[in-house]
Amino acid sequence: MSDTHAQTVAYVRDTMLPQQPPPASEAGAVKWVRANLFPDILNGLLTLVALFIIFKILAGFLPWLFGGIWHTQSLAECREILDGATGGCFSVLTERWNQLLFGFKYPSEEYWRPALAFVMLFVAAAPLLFAMYVPRQVLYFTALYPFIAFWLIWGGTILTPIMALLGFIAGYIAFKKLEASSFAGALGAAVVTAFIVWFLGGYVTGAMSGVLALPEVPSRDMGGFMLNFILGTVCVSLSLPIGILLALGRQSHMPIIKWICVVFIEFIRGVPLITLLFVANVVLAYFLPPGTTFDLILRVIIMITMFSSAYIAEVIRGGLAALPKGQYEAADSLGLDYAQSMRLIIMPQALKISIPGIVNVAVGLFKDTTLVSVISMFDLVGMIRGPILASTEWNGVYWELWGFAILMFFPVCYGISQYSQWLERQLATDHR
């Protein structure tokens, strides 16, 4: 039987055939195009329509961009050079870049100070944003950065931020000394100690105002994108811890604390931000003693921080509500008190759940800083709508200026969004 079968088989291969490359339509760019752009007739038509729209946009935008004029003194001169040709008048950017970035009153010889503070911000934020990659020793610089940045941007004697720092240090020491006996008493002692140090520090800085002093720049002289960045950075940094406290206070079993937080959150969320800015600009002065000067930027920071912290509190409250009851019971079974359970078990999980909502509030807050232009603060939008477009040289330039505003805001907002997605991937400990 086997001999007959062997005689009928002409050839038996005893080696494997070499691997063949896949068909061209199933590999590389061709496969990607078929799978993503032309998987069926309907999606193929939509792809062709989208490509046509993109072509029309680029056909008008690219000649306007690359045919633009960068070195003229006015819009009329720019249009005379173009003589009907397609091109943007970008000379307004080369002529007014300093006003767009720093405002029209900030001393030009001091531009290095906010620029240096901006660069140092990345170093200070690194251990907070990328803790797993940055040495913990950098946290010392992070703690000092707010005081250094204040001195660089506003100027004056260096003793002012030093005394402010000493007040926080003294308050922290007083809090740690009394924390074991009574949390409320320790917090009160910390506040009193800090205010005492700041009160005494006012006399010291007044008597030694010339020690390591930079030229002072009042808040009314600040503007441009620098003002937007200051407001956005400070308000986001302050609103997150305040929002956490408000969220915890709203869930407190103490009726007074709970209702104070509820009334604050609901009132702030029911009032437009522009109304709060008008209150900061006009109404707040009526509640201060006559002759009292309250820095306008500080008033705006307080109002924007109150506004954003109310929204962040609701986002975090949603994260706390999303946690299963077993997490709270697990913390109680370990014998942890309220502060320990919140710090070690509950709050890390709630913040992880709340990351998308927190980022949404942060991005919206940074963009809402442009609303300060309605109270005569010359931020980036205020500079465009005010001194630049009101000038006879550049009255009529719109696309170039608003395009510059887009280039300033988009990288910041997009960077925040991308960082949040990266952080979610880093914290994705659950397996699905």
Side-chain angles (χ1 to χ4, degrees):
M1 188 72 178
S2 60
D3 295 338
T4 304
H5 179 71
Q7 292 175 0
T8 59
V9 177
Y11 176 73
V12 178
R13 181 177 295 278
D14 56 0
T15 59
M16 295 294 294
L17 286 173
Q19 293 185 357
Q20 299 294 322
S25 61
E26 297 297 328
V30 177
K31 179 183 178 181
W32 184 90
V33 169
R34 289 187 58 188
N36 294 278
L37 301 181
F38 300 95
D40 51 49
I41 296 177
L42 178 60
N43 284 283
L45 291 176
L46 292 176
T47 298
L48 293 176
V49 172
L51 291 175
F52 176 76
I53 295 174
I54 293 174
F55 170 77
K56 295 297 289 185
I57 293 174
L58 293 179
F61 173 74
L62 293 180
W64 176 81
L65 177 63
F66 293 103
I69 305 300
W70 293 85
H71 303 289
T72 59
Q73 302 297 320
S74 65
L75 177 62
E77 184 180 350
C78 175
R79 288 175 175 173
E80 183 179 352
I81 295 175
L82 288 174
D83 193 22
T86 300
C89 293
F90 300 110
S91 302
V92 63
L93 303 181
T94 57
E95 286 289 316
R96 301 295 182 95
W97 66 269
N98 54 340
Q99 297 180 5
L100 292 169
L101 293 180
F102 302 104
F104 65 95
K105 289 186 178 181
Y106 202 93
S108 58
E109 64 274 8
E110 305 295 334
Y111 285 163
W112 65 271
R113 289 159 46 181
L116 179 60
F118 176 76
V119 174
M120 294 171 66
L121 174 63
F122 292 95
V123 180
L128 300 177
L129 302 180
F130 307 100
M132 64 289 291
Y133 303 115
V134 181
R136 294 182 60 86
Q137 291 77 6
V138 186
L139 282 171
Y140 294 107
F141 177 76
T142 303
L144 296 175
Y145 174 76
F147 307 96
I148 298 174
F150 174 84
W151 178 60
L152 285 174
I153 296 175
W154 272 270
T157 176
I158 197 173
L159 293 178
T160 300
I162 289 178
M163 290 301 170
L165 176 62
L166 290 178
F168 283 106
I169 294 175
Y172 176 77
I173 294 174
F175 177 82
K176 297 301 291 185
K177 291 290 185 181
L178 302 175
E179 182 182 13
S181 58
S182 172
F183 179 83
L187 184 61
V191 173
V192 172
T193 304
F195 272 100
I196 291 175
V197 173
W198 291 334
F199 180 77
L200 297 176
Y203 290 100
V204 175
T205 55
M208 306 175 64
S209 58
V211 177
L212 288 178
L214 292 173
E216 291 192 32
V217 180
S219 296
R220 63 177 179 273
D221 292 347
M222 297 182 186
F225 187 70
M226 176 185 67
L227 180 58
N228 295 110
F229 203 85
I230 291 173
L231 294 176
T233 304
V234 174
C235 294
V236 169
S237 302
L238 293 177
S239 60
L240 183 58
I242 295 175
I244 293 174
L245 294 177
L246 289 172
L248 295 177
R250 184 160 189 166
Q251 293 189 332
S252 175
H253 297 293
M254 301 177 66
I256 296 179
I257 294 179
K258 178 179 180 178
W259 284 108
I260 288 176
C261 294
V262 169
V263 170
F264 176 85
I265 292 172
E266 296 302 330
F267 174 77
I268 295 297
R269 293 176 70 230
V271 177
L273 176 58
I274 192 171
T275 304
L276 297 177
L277 293 177
F278 277 116
V279 170
N281 186 38
V282 180
V283 181
L284 197 61
Y286 292 106
F287 296 93
L288 300 175
T292 303
T293 57
F294 196 5
D295 190 273
L296 179 58
I297 289 183
L298 180 58
R299 283 181 276 167
V300 171
I301 287 175
I302 291 174
M303 289 300 177
I304 296 179
T305 301
M306 290 170 54
F307 182 83
S308 59
S309 61
Y311 282 87
I312 288 180
E314 285 298 279
V315 171
I316 295 176
R317 188 172 70 91
L320 292 171
L323 288 180
K325 188 177 180 182
Q327 296 296 319
Y328 295 87
E329 296 173 347
D332 295 336
S333 67
L334 293 174
L336 302 178
D337 59 20
Y338 178 80
Q340 292 173 332
S341 63
M342 285 295 166
R343 181 170 59 89
L344 300 176
I345 296 179
I346 304 302
M347 194 52 65
Q349 299 181 72
L351 290 176
K352 175 185 172 182
I353 297 172
S354 306
I355 286 176
I358 293 174
V359 170
N360 184 50
V361 174
V363 171
L365 170 64
F366 185 76
K367 293 186 293 185
D368 285 345
T369 58
T370 56
L371 291 176
V372 300
S373 61
V374 301
I375 58 172
S376 301
M377 295 184 71
F378 292 104
D379 69 318
L380 179 57
V381 173
M383 288 299 307
I384 293 175
R385 295 172 56 188
I388 296 180
L389 287 181
S391 64
T392 57
E393 294 87 357
W394 302 110
N395 187 8
V397 177
Y398 295 101
W399 286 102
E400 295 83 351
L401 292 171
W402 296 118
F404 180 81
I406 292 173
L407 291 178
M408 291 291 102
F409 279 94
F410 177 77
V412 177
C413 297
Y414 182 72
I416 295 174
S417 176
Q418 290 300 303
Y419 171 76
S420 70
Q421 297 180 30
W422 174 83
L423 185 60
E424 288 185 70
R425 291 192 296 268
Q426 295 296 313
L427 300 177
T429 55
D430 52 338
H431 300 283
R432 298 174 181 173

